[in-house]
């Protein structure tokens, strides 16, 4: 199903566009892949698309995902990762730099952009590393990488452990005007910890990763951002203490922003132990698919993260989509790779917070669209006239059961297999083109 020159009048939806403070039953006119007008009863020479009963928003913007290409194509490719993205409603994805090789040269940035141009279903904005090879010892050439198209800098997967290196990175980032994104976990405090340091770790006899491993580094980064005047963005905030530190720093006017993942908002460390009483063999006594860095924390931490979303302390919801192969996860939990394949479940996970009355739908949509775009200065996440017609239509009444085998992502690693979740991505548009539609909407369109 295609519109004429990717043009449509999308009618009948409740349109939520936080960038323009809009939440109303209006039509959206898409002309040649661009948002032309938003308003009531639009008359236009374009095919009608009936979105009755759906919620229409800008396509979601993910500040943090791992597409694994180049070098780790057995886990994911730009093609499969962006296919997963559009199924999950994400039309813009920012790819992390811990590929093989690490994204630390303009040539690698150019390679990712070229492959995205050829094969991606969604828009891809690459991050580059902060240090060469993410070894933490020598800064990358930020100006050249920025020129090549890097939207931010991160050694994600690893923290920038050396405080002096972080200070220099922040100072240099001022020259290119792009944020440093830090994976805050002090390696000296984490050591070989596997899960959150707490009761579940004790009960399972697993080594813990203390909340303080994250919080000390968030505090350090906030202070260095204050000192340098640079923009630091805290990846995947997971603890109550981190939320408190970021809130206090924002009140002081520090240029600090933060993201949170769907799993840290909605799951706790207790699900790691879920398989203990099943008849699995001993090596699989824990749910390795719930192993993630930073680890799933406590219910009190999740509540603090939700409060942080609501009061603006946390700017964005980001997936930290981290696909792994079966072999990466089919081993003893301390040896298993960390990460969750998240793009295809993210919206439904966080929509649970709307269902339970903890977050309003417009707030949730803002954390998936306008807010992440603002954090990285991206041109998407809005239905302003002239913006690319990247849209998602949501069927909030639908429920579905998570079947990792049906994922477009190569990463089947999710602790949610078999879970029934509310809300479904019905249609996704990139540049006005329908790039994903569930069965019952595939018949809709021009009439
Ligand atoms: Zn990370």
């Amino acid at each position: 199903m295609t519109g004429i020159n990717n043009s449509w009048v999308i009618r009948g939806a409740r349109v939520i566009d936080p960038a323009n403070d809009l939440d109303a039953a209006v039509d959206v006119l898409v002309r040649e892949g661009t948002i032309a007008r938003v308003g009531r009863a639009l008359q236009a020479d374009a095919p009608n698309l009936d979105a009755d009963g759906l919620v229409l928003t800008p396509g979601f913007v993910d500040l943090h995902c791992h597409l694994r290409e180049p070098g780790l194509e057995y886990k994911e490719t730009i093609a499969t990762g962006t296919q997963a993205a559009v199924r999950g409603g994400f039309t813009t994805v920012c790819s992390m730099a811990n590929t093989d090789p690490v994204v630390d040269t303009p040539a690698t940035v150019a390679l990712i952009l070229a492959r995205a141009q050829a094969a991606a279903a969604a828009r891809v904005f690459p991050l580059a590393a902060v240090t060469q090879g993410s070894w933490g010892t020598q800064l990358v050439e930020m100006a050249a990488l920025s020129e090549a198209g890097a939207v931010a800098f991160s050694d994600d997967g690893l923290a920038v452990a050396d405080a002096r290196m972080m200070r220099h990175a922040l100072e240099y980032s001022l020259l290119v005007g792009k944020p440093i994104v830090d994976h805050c976990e002090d390696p000296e405090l984490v050591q070989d910890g596997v899960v959150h340091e707490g009761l579940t770790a004790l009960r399972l006899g697993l080594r813990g990763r203390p909340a303080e491993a994250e919080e000390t580094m968030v505090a350090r980064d906030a202070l260095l951002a204050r000192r340098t005047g640079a923009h630091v963005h805290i990846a995947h905030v997971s603890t109550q203490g981190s939320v408190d530190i970021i809130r206090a720093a924002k009140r002081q006017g520090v240029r600090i922003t933060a993201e949170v993942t769907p799993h840290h908002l909605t799951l706790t460390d207790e699900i790691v132990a879920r398989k203990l009483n099943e008849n699995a063999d001993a090596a699989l006594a824990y749910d390795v698919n719930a192993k993630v860095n930073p680890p799933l924390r406590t219910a009190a931490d999740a509540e603090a993260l939700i409060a942080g979303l609501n009061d603006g302390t946390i700017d964005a919801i980001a997936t930290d989509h981290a696909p792994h192969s079966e072999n990466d996860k089919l081993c003893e939990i301390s040896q298993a790779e960390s990460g969750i394949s998240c793009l295809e479940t993210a919206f439904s996970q966080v929509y649970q917070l709307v269902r339970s009355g903890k977050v309003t739908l417009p707030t949730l949509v803002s954390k998936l669209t306008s807010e992440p775009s603002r954090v990285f200065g991206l041109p998407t996440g809005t239905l302003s006239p002239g913006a690319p017609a990247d849209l998602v239509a949501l069927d909030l009444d639908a429920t579905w059961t998570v079947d990792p085998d049906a994922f477009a992502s190569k990463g089947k690693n999710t602790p949610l297999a078999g879970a029934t979740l509310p809300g479904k991505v019905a249609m996704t548009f990139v540049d006005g083109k329908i790039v994903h539609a569930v069965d019952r909407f595939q018949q809709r369109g021009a009439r």
Side-chain angles (χ1 to χ4, degrees):
M1 182 173 71
T2 49
I4 301 158
N5 295 327
N6 300 325
S7 299
W8 306 99
V9 191
I10 305 172
R11 298 190 192 275
R14 171 184 172 189
V15 179
I16 301 177
D17 177 23
N20 290 295
D21 217 3
L22 176 76
D23 180 358
V26 288
D27 302 337
V28 175
L29 172 61
V30 173
R31 209 181 273 294
E32 294 178 12
T34 300
I35 304 290
R37 272 181 71 196
V38 177
R40 281 178 218 283
L42 294 183
Q43 299 298 317
D45 183 20
N48 282 321
L49 198 148
D50 171 18
D52 217 16
L54 303 179
V55 167
L56 188 71
T57 78
F60 301 152
V61 177
D62 189 6
L63 295 180
H64 189 147
C65 77
H66 297 271
L67 297 180
R68 307 298 193 199
E69 190 176 352
L72 304 168
E73 289 85 353
Y74 68 98
K75 294 178 192 273
E76 192 79 291
T77 65
I78 288 168
T80 58
T82 55
Q83 205 61 53
V86 297
R87 284 205 200 182
F90 291 88
T91 54
T92 293
V93 294
C94 300
S95 57
M96 282 295 161
N98 61 341
T99 47
D100 185 11
V102 164
V103 185
D104 59 6
T105 65
T108 312
V109 174
L111 174 77
I112 291 167
L113 290 172
R115 292 207 184 159
Q117 184 74 37
R123 258 171 246 287
V124 176
F125 291 99
L127 282 86
V130 174
T131 62
Q132 304 280 357
S134 287
W135 292 111
T137 50
Q138 199 182 347
L139 282 183
V140 295
E141 299 275 359
M142 277 188 206
L145 287 157
S146 176
E147 188 102 327
V151 293
F153 298 88
S154 183
D155 281 351
D156 182 64
L158 301 165
V160 179
D162 181 323
R164 195 170 69 101
M165 182 60 65
M166 187 63 179
R167 178 188 177 161
H168 285 159
L170 287 166
E171 284 166 348
Y172 274 93
S173 76
L174 288 167
L175 301 175
V176 295
K178 291 178 177 171
I180 303 292
V181 179
D182 202 10
H183 172 128
C184 289
E185 281 194 297
D186 183 334
E188 296 298 327
L189 281 173
V190 160
Q191 292 291 329
D192 53 356
V194 176
V195 293
H196 172 63
E197 184 177 301
L199 281 178
T200 300
L202 262 180
R203 195 153 57 85
L204 298 180
L206 293 172
R207 286 185 193 279
R209 299 167 87 92
E212 290 76 9
E214 173 173 315
E215 292 158 1
T216 52
M217 201 161 267
V218 172
R220 181 203 74 174
D221 286 355
L223 293 168
L224 292 173
R226 187 178 72 179
R227 161 60 54 186
T228 57
H231 176 186
V232 70
H233 177 74
I234 309 298
H236 42 54
V237 172
S238 75
T239 81
Q240 183 167 13
S242 296
V243 175
D244 291 342
I245 293 162
I246 296 162
R247 183 182 291 121
K250 281 192 165 183
R251 282 197 185 130
Q252 290 182 28
V254 176
R255 290 178 67 201
I256 187 168
T257 53
E259 69 189 32
V260 63
T261 70
H263 36 276
H264 290 111
L265 284 167
T266 58
L267 301 172
T268 67
D269 61 344
E270 287 176 13
I271 73 157
V272 178
R274 198 172 46 182
K275 290 194 173 167
L276 260 187
N277 296 322
E278 289 174 18
N279 255 348
D281 67 31
L284 293 173
Y286 318 109
D287 187 356
V288 293
N289 288 322
K291 184 188 179 193
V292 62
N293 295 336
L296 299 174
R297 307 280 186 186
T298 67
D301 290 306
E303 288 302 321
L305 294 168
I306 294 165
L309 264 190
N310 280 324
D311 74 6
T313 301
I314 296 176
D315 301 85
I317 293 169
T319 68
D320 192 10
H321 175 72
H324 288 293
S325 75
E326 203 177 340
N327 280 342
D328 294 328
K329 284 284 193 183
L330 203 66
C331 51
E332 205 270 319
I333 192 165
S334 64
Q335 303 303 316
E337 295 268 17
S338 299
I340 293 174
S341 180
C342 185
L343 279 167
E344 288 164 84
T345 56
F347 172 72
S348 294
Q349 284 178 270
V350 292
Y351 181 58
Q352 295 177 104
L353 302 174
V354 175
R355 281 286 178 88
S356 59
K358 292 179 174 174
V359 179
T360 67
L361 184 59
T363 295
L364 188 73
V365 172
S366 75
K367 303 295 179 180
L368 289 163
T369 60
S370 53
E371 291 289 284
S373 280
R374 179 181 54 77
V375 169
F376 278 9
L378 304 175
T380 57
T382 169
L383 301 185
S384 295
D390 294 358
L391 298 151
V392 58
L394 304 164
D395 183 355
L396 298 183
D397 297 326
T399 57
W400 62 291
T401 301
V402 179
D403 173 13
D405 290 334
F407 280 1
S409 171
K410 289 190 184 185
K412 314 301 181 191
N413 49 304
T414 172
L416 296 171
T420 298
L421 297 177
K424 199 158 176 48
V425 174
M427 278 190 277
T428 309
F429 303 72
V430 172
D431 284 328
K433 204 169 119 200
I434 296 176
V435 290
H436 164 71
V438 296
D439 286 348
R440 72 191 179 92
F441 295 107
Q442 279 171 356
Q443 304 311 314
R444 295 195 183 189
R447 64 182 191 194

